[in-house]
Amino acid sequence: MSHNRWREHWVVWGVATAHDLLKLQKRPFVLAVAVDAPVLTRFQRAQANGAADLAQFLALDQDRGYMTGSASDPYPMMALADVTIINNAGTLDALRATVLDFQLDDPERLRPSWDTYFITLAHLAARRSNCMKKRVGCIVTYDNLVVSTGYNGTPRGLANCASGGCARCNGNARAGVALDACLCLHAEENALLEAGMRATSGATLYCTMFPCLGCAKKIVQAKVVTVVYSAPYAPADDKRVAEMLFGAAGIVVRQHALVATGGGSGGGALASGRGGNVVYSARTSATDRPGADSSRPDSVLPFDDMDQ
C-alpha cells in the first residue's frame, strides 16, 4: 500500500494468522473486524451447497483448523478483533444492513473522543472496587487532564467491603436504601477527596453511573462544572432530586455510552460507533460478504500486497 494513501478506506483480505493481524494493528488507522456465525447457521448454509450431515460438516471444520489450536485456527486471530459481527443474517441484504448499522467508519472507533477516553478510564478504576453491591469508578479532569481517580470502598485502614468491612453492603439492603449505614465511600467522594477543592473548581467529573444525591451535593460544593456518566442510577426519586440540584447549580450533565464492539443479529444494529480502514477476519466465503453499495471501500487489497 502506498504510504500516501492510508487516509483512504480499504478492505484487506488474506490475513491468515494472529501474527499478520498484529502487524496491521500496530498502525493507528487499522480496524480489525471479525465476522463469525453460529455453527448450526453455517451448517444450514453448507447444506444448501451439498453438505451431507452435521458430523461431516464438523469434521471438515476440524480439517480447516477451527477450534483446534493449530496454526490455521482463525479463532485466536478473531479474539484480537476490534469489532465482532455475528453473521446470522438470512440474506446478503440483511448482512449488509448489519454491517452498515455498525458504522465502521466512525473515527471514534480508531481514536476515542475525550468523553469515551475518560469514561473508559472510569470503568477501569471501577475494577479496583470490591464493594459487594456494585463497582463504581470515577475520574476528575481539568482541561482534559486527569486530576484524580476514585472507586467505591471502605475508608483506609478498615477491612475491605468484600471482607465484611461494610455490614450494609454485605446484607440484603436494596440499591439506594440505608445509605446512612453504609461505610463505603462512593467513587465520586474518593475522587473529590483526592483532588481537593482547589483542583476541582471548574473541573469535569466522569463516573460509570449517575451520582447519588449525597455525591451530587459534594460535586456541587466542589465547584465541578460538568458531570458525564455512563449508566443511570436506580432510585428514580434520588436521581430526580440530584438532577434538580445540578440544574440549580448550573452544572452540565450528559450521559455517554461506550461504542459497542461485538454482536449482531440478523439485520439489526447492536453498535453505535464507526471506524476506519477495515480488516475482515471472516470465516465466510466471498459469496457471504456484502455486495457493492455506496459505502464500499476505495479498494480491496490482499494482505501480501501491503507494505508492512
Side-chain angles (χ1 to χ4, degrees):
M1 182 189 298
S2 174
H3 289 293
N4 62 356
R5 299 189 64 188
W6 64 270
R7 291 181 182 275
E8 299 176 9
H9 291 263
W10 298 78
V11 170
V12 181
W13 58 272
V15 185
T17 66
H19 178 70
D20 289 343
L21 180 57
L22 289 171
K23 287 182 180 179
L24 295 173
Q25 286 185 309
K26 67 182 180 181
R27 307 295 184 183
F29 48 81
V30 171
L31 184 78
V33 179
V35 182
D36 197 7
V39 173
L40 290 179
T41 300
R42 293 191 294 108
F43 172 60
Q44 291 167 357
R45 293 169 180 165
Q47 281 184 308
N49 294 322
D53 54 36
L54 181 59
Q56 180 187 28
F57 174 77
L58 293 177
L60 182 60
D61 248 12
Q62 194 168 36
D63 290 342
R64 292 170 176 169
Y66 294 136
M67 302 293 288
T68 61
S70 65
S72 59
D73 187 349
Y75 281 99
M77 177 173 59
M78 294 172 73
L80 297 173
D82 302 299
V83 178
T84 299
I85 298 175
I86 304 302
N87 174 19
N88 54 2
T91 65
L92 288 178
D93 286 340
L95 175 59
R96 184 182 297 111
T98 297
V99 173
L100 292 178
D101 284 339
F102 265 77
Q103 299 177 317
L104 295 173
D105 58 342
D106 187 335
E108 185 153 323
R109 286 203 176 274
L110 293 177
R111 190 177 190 229
S113 66
W114 286 116
D115 279 358
T116 296
Y117 177 59
F118 291 127
I119 283 289
T120 302
L121 292 181
H123 279 281
L124 179 61
R127 297 189 63 181
R128 282 285 302 165
S129 170
N130 62 12
C131 179
M132 294 297 290
K133 289 299 184 184
K134 186 177 183 65
R135 285 178 164 180
V136 181
C138 182
I139 304 288
V140 175
T141 71
Y142 186 86
D143 197 22
N144 290 332
L145 297 174
V146 174
V147 174
S148 64
T149 67
Y151 53 88
N152 56 327
T154 52
R156 296 179 187 274
L158 275 68
N160 285 328
C161 184
S163 301
C166 177
R168 182 261 177 190
C169 287
N170 283 270
N172 296 320
R174 300 191 307 275
V177 176
L179 292 179
D180 55 341
C182 181
L183 296 184
C184 290
L185 289 164
H186 288 193
E188 302 94 319
E189 293 175 314
N190 274 323
L192 294 172
L193 286 169
E194 180 182 311
M197 185 174 292
R198 290 184 180 179
T200 58
S201 179
T204 298
L205 184 144
Y206 291 85
C207 197
T208 55
M209 68 181 297
F210 189 88
C212 69
L213 180 57
C215 287
K217 292 186 289 187
K218 297 176 179 68
I219 289 168
V220 172
Q221 187 69 5
K223 299 183 179 179
V224 170
V225 297
T226 304
V227 171
V228 184
Y229 68 98
S230 180
Y233 184 58
D237 290 341
D238 269 16
K239 184 176 186 292
R240 186 160 47 250
V241 176
E243 287 174 334
M244 291 173 57
L245 183 62
F246 286 146
I251 294 177
V252 176
V253 180
R254 62 177 181 270
Q255 184 175 14
H256 185 78
L258 295 177
V259 172
T261 59
S265 177
L270 294 182
S272 58
R274 307 185 187 183
N277 302 336
V278 180
V279 178
Y280 273 100
S281 169
R283 65 162 73 248
T284 50
S285 67
T287 58
D288 293 322
R289 296 190 184 115
D293 57 31
S294 59
S295 64
R296 66 180 302 172
D298 299 305
S299 187
V300 177
L301 185 70
F303 174 73
D304 292 340
D305 289 351
M306 293 189 67
D307 178 5
Q308 301 172 39

